[in-house]
Amino acid sequence: MSDHILNRALFDEVMVPNYAPGKVIPVRGQGSRVWDQDNNEYIDLAGGIAVTALGHAHPELVDALTEQAKKLWHVSNVLATEPALSLARKLVDLTFAEKVFFANSGGEANEAAFKLARRYAWEHFGPEKHEIVSCLSSFHGRTLFTVSVGGQPKYREGFEPVPAGISHVPFNDIEALEAAITDKTCAFVVEPIQGEGGITPASQAYLEKARELCDKHNALLIFDEVQTGVGRTGHLYAYMKYGVTPDILTTAKALGGGFPIGAMLTTTHIAASLKVGTHGSTYGGNPMGCAVAEKVLDIITRDGVLEGVETRHERLVSHLKQINARHAAFRLVRGAGLLIGAVVDEKYEGRAKDFMTAALDEGVLALVAGPNVVRFAPSLIIPEADIDEAMTRFERAVARVVKG
Ligand SMILES: *Cc1c(COP(=O)(O)O)cnc(C)c1O
């Protein structure tokens, strides 16, 4: 067994017990493969959690990072930097947005979005208009504001009192949304595909209605694209796939391809409410994160990359369906692009994690999204042969769980 000094047992000894990491410790990655301390190899269909969208150690990302690391690490936001300006320019050119705020994570990007929505409404309509409407089962981060807006009570339990003026509606329920959005609503926030909540896509009609209701009540429409963004659905951002444009969009995860960075995108008119001194971050927009993120965007917007996401989606889903035809483990497969959820059959209710653990044993990194969904979020450029090999291994994992 493991005779490494830095081992899994040490985690329990010295780290806060808020995570339950698997038993192996990866030390190296290349493309869609990673290796653990004992040189066992795994095919990565998790991508961190939908983060390493260009795989591990992509040579162009390594170059972007090391070149910037040799030039300038940090000067704070007292001064602008070239990488931040260049990345902001690119995000503005590629999306609806006219203005960008940089953060270090998805939670921080959402924190900025919610604060901006409050501040904008306060400035234009007065303090009464402060209510935020969000969806049940949604996930927006782990800060106190974002767990409060998030639709999973277990993430706020014991952390109360939480900020006031937040309400939750069932996802994809148009009538509930009509009843919830009023003139007191400053923002409605939604994930185009609920990620942590189980890889559940919003319906076209739901997002269209959300846009209409927000316009009617002068509320801002916020899309949390922290998980769906940066090519994950086969479109640069999922809002482009739906053809519904938000007022504020948050992005992180894949944006840095594994280097921490997040961003909030919005219009000039709305951005104006975050005047000098109203919000900030020491590290936000740090040169290394921005240099890497710009390269990530360059690669993902190259010919063929987004189209390739669709091809890979079909390949992965067709494998899953074939596996299921033999083992009847899943009730359905859903999602878009390379954000795919396999919902476990009733027989395996609450046991998605067993499939994930068995997959790890067979040499595949997968994820769960709640108790009943096995989630796949591989690199957008994963070689098709790696998908095939991963699915051969995953079938062995499924067979093991099914046999008991
Ligand atoms: C992961 C995630 C977040 C939180 O991002 P962090 O970088 O962990 O703070 C927020 N929203 C969505 C939709 C996410 O998937």
Side-chain angles (χ1 to χ4, degrees):
M1 280 306 292
S2 168
D3 49 6
H4 302 279
I5 296 165
L6 302 175
N7 54 33
R8 179 60 182 80
L10 185 60
F11 179 93
D12 295 331
E13 206 178 310
V14 298
M15 290 183 72
V16 170
N18 61 316
Y19 302 117
K23 61 187 179 196
V24 303
I25 298 185
V27 292
R28 183 165 66 85
Q30 188 66 57
S32 283
R33 310 245 172 174
V34 300
W35 289 266
D36 70 14
Q37 291 170 313
D38 298 318
N39 215 26
N40 298 308
E41 173 253 330
Y42 304 83
I43 300 178
D44 187 357
L45 299 187
I49 300 180
V51 167
T52 51
L54 295 171
H56 298 275
H58 190 292
E60 289 181 73
L61 299 189
V62 173
D63 283 352
L65 178 61
T66 48
E67 270 171 41
Q68 187 57 44
K70 285 182 221 157
K71 278 197 218 155
L72 183 72
W73 282 29
H74 179 82
V75 290
S76 92
N77 287 302
V78 171
L79 299 167
T81 68
E82 288 186 355
L85 292 169
S86 187
L87 175 60
R89 166 90 267 161
K90 198 148 280 177
L91 285 166
V92 163
D93 288 346
L94 289 169
T95 68
F96 77 97
E98 297 161 328
K99 292 283 194 272
V100 179
F101 170 82
F102 288 121
N104 307 293
S105 66
E108 280 179 52
N110 283 330
E111 186 83 19
F114 304 155
K115 282 182 72 181
L116 172 57
R118 285 249 171 111
R119 187 88 184 185
Y120 174 83
W122 175 80
E123 194 173 286
H124 292 273
F125 305 98
E128 284 284 285
K129 190 175 176 69
H130 65 258
E131 289 175 7
I132 296 174
V133 178
S134 167
C135 294
L136 290 170
S137 302
S138 68
F139 182 80
H140 299 297
R142 297 294 201 131
T143 68
L144 192 59
F145 201 174
T146 55
V147 291
S148 309
V149 172
Q152 305 195 43
K154 65 178 186 213
Y155 292 142
R156 356 180 230 283
E157 194 177 54
F159 297 114
E160 300 93 347
V162 296
I166 299 162
S167 63
H168 299 93
V169 290
F171 184 56
N172 271 338
D173 181 334
I174 289 180
E175 275 175 35
L177 194 62
E178 275 180 314
I181 298 183
T182 70
D183 288 341
K184 284 186 176 176
T185 307
C186 72
F188 170 59
V189 56
V190 63
E191 296 160 84
I193 299 174
Q194 285 194 337
E196 302 308 303
I199 318 298
T200 320
S203 71
Q204 181 70 31
Y206 189 64
L207 295 188
E208 283 175 8
K209 192 67 179 183
R211 180 68 277 175
E212 187 188 314
L213 290 168
C214 285
D215 288 342
K216 182 171 159 202
H217 293 283
N218 289 314
L220 300 181
L221 179 60
I222 304 174
F223 279 3
D224 179 344
E225 293 228 32
V226 169
Q227 190 151 166
T228 54
V230 198
R232 184 58 50 197
T233 66
H235 297 256
L236 186 59
Y237 285 98
Y239 85 85
M240 297 167 174
K241 171 182 159 77
Y242 284 93
V244 176
T245 304
D247 300 297
I248 300 176
L249 180 151
T250 54
T251 177
K253 290 207 164 94
L255 183 61
F259 198 94
I261 182 168
M264 175 188 73
L265 314 184
T266 189
T267 63
T268 301
H269 173 65
I270 296 164
S273 292
L274 285 188
K275 296 179 177 47
V276 174
T278 53
H279 191 55
S281 161
T282 294
Y283 271 122
N286 88 83
M288 287 179 287
C290 290
V292 175
E294 180 169 358
K295 186 58 75 178
V296 168
L297 288 176
D298 285 347
I299 297 171
I300 284 175
T301 53
R302 268 180 208 159
D303 277 355
V305 174
L306 290 173
E307 293 79 354
V309 171
E310 202 39 50
T311 321
R312 287 164 176 78
H313 167 93
E314 275 154 28
R315 197 173 191 102
L316 213 161
V317 167
S318 107
H319 275 298
L320 286 172
K321 289 191 169 155
Q322 287 167 41
I323 291 171
N324 209 34
R326 292 188 284 267
H327 302 281
F330 303 108
R331 195 157 58 75
L332 78 138
V333 175
R334 65 190 177 202
L338 287 171
L339 186 56
I340 296 168
V343 186
V344 299
D345 193 83
E346 274 138 39
K347 282 175 288 194
Y348 308 102
E349 182 73 27
R351 291 182 54 203
K353 198 166 179 192
D354 292 351
F355 290 92
M356 181 182 86
T357 307
L360 182 68
D361 289 339
E362 293 294 340
V364 175
L365 306 183
L367 295 164
V368 297
N372 293 313
V373 179
V374 183
R375 168 172 39 168
F376 302 98
S379 158
L380 306 184
I381 55 170
I382 181 173
E384 300 201 6
D386 283 10
I387 296 180
D388 298 345
E389 172 61 21
M391 285 292 116
T392 301
R393 297 179 189 183
F394 184 66
E395 175 156 17
R396 289 201 287 268
V398 170
R400 270 164 63 160
V401 175
V402 166
K403 265 191 219 132

